Amino acid sequence: ILFSHPSPLCPRDMILELSKSEIAAKIAAEHGMKKSEISQILDTLAKVGTEEVRNAGKFKVPGLVILKQAARKEKHARLFSSDSGRWVPAQPRRMVTTAQLVSSFKKSIRLRSR
């Protein structure tokens, strides 16, 4: 998880990133479970999310994020500039995965940063 939002506690040039084991340790301490159990749960969540995005094209982690698969249209070959005559090669149609934060999560971040 990567946090890079501007706030008085976290300057813009400083990025805080939690590793999987740090996330598992925090959740385990909160709920009185073993860190290894939480790590397995996170692995399962990633596996289920991957399958759902692949099959249904969408996966939602309630209260956090929505993962969607979207098609990007093809780009045709064209001249880079009329002076140089260089061609930009065509790019085929492709599928990309996008992540959108859930609005309740966005609101909670905004409230904390004020």
Side-chain angles (χ1 to χ4, degrees):
I1 297 177
L2 188 66
F3 297 99
S4 63
H5 57 83
S7 109
L9 301 175
C10 178
R12 188 169 275 287
D13 58 343
M14 184 176 134
I15 296 177
L16 304 173
E17 185 176 346
L18 295 175
S19 67
K20 179 182 168 186
S21 61
E22 291 171 338
I23 293 170
K26 284 188 175 196
I27 295 173
E30 177 96 14
H31 295 284
M33 297 174 70
K34 291 183 180 179
K35 192 169 112 174
S36 60
E37 292 173 344
I38 301 297
S39 181
Q40 290 175 351
I41 291 171
L42 291 174
D43 289 338
T44 305
L45 180 66
K47 185 178 175 184
V48 168
T50 303
E51 290 173 0
E52 285 299 310
V53 169
R54 187 177 298 139
N55 296 335
K58 190 176 190 181
F59 179 68
K60 181 177 182 179
V61 179
L64 191 62
V65 70
I66 298 174
L67 301 172
K68 292 181 183 178
Q69 198 171 30
R72 298 288 186 236
K73 63 182 181 179
E74 66 181 86
K75 295 180 181 178
H76 300 286
R78 63 192 182 282
L79 286 175
F80 182 72
S81 71
S82 58
D83 297 333
S84 68
R86 239 178 68 187
W87 284 94
V88 175
Q91 293 180 353
R93 181 176 183 254
R94 65 187 195 278
M95 297 298 286
V96 295
T97 304
T98 60
Q100 297 175 339
L101 295 177
V102 178
S103 65
S104 61
F105 184 69
K106 287 182 191 178
K107 289 175 186 174
S108 70
I109 290 174
R110 283 190 209 124
L111 292 175
R112 289 185 195 148
S113 65
R114 290 183 184 174

